[in-house]
Amino acid sequence: MKPVVPRGTRHIKTLTKIINYLHEVGPRNTRQILEHINTTTRYGSTPSEVGNLLSKYDYFVKTEEESVYSALSGSYNVCVWGLKD
């Protein structure tokens, strides 16, 4: 059962898109969620907006961290997010 998004939030379309994506494919990291939002919507989103939505609302739970390697910036950790049961 998917959670119901509250009315009156400024980012309701982005929040709904994240919930539907995680419901369909399961836990994903922050970069994968941002990439999905930016490729499937016209308006896109910023990394800070997605991070704030994931941490602010209690629909999401941080499951783990995984390392991401980049040729330019080395390696860094990103959070893996899932839906709360």
Side-chain angles (χ1 to χ4, degrees):
M1 184 173 124
K2 289 191 287 189
V4 178
V5 177
R7 297 283 178 208
T9 59
R10 182 174 173 208
H11 306 284
I12 193 165
K13 290 181 182 179
T14 305
L15 190 59
T16 305
K17 196 79 165 163
I18 293 170
I19 291 172
N20 291 337
Y21 178 61
L22 291 178
H23 183 71
E24 291 173 7
V25 298
R28 292 289 184 247
N29 68 36
T30 309
R31 290 181 63 200
Q32 291 168 329
I33 294 170
L34 179 64
E35 181 181 340
H36 174 73
I37 297 280
N38 289 337
T39 56
T40 59
T41 59
R42 248 177 98 185
Y43 48 88
S45 185
T46 62
S48 60
E49 179 186 2
V50 171
N52 288 339
L53 289 173
L54 290 168
S55 63
K56 179 180 179 181
Y57 290 99
D58 60 349
Y59 305 126
F60 311 108
V61 61
K62 188 187 314 183
T63 58
E64 59 182 289
E65 288 188 358
E66 60 183 35
S67 293
V68 175
Y69 300 99
S70 172
L72 298 176
S73 61
S75 67
Y76 54 94
N77 293 336
V78 291
C79 298
V80 177
W81 298 90
L83 289 175
K84 187 180 275 190
D85 292 334

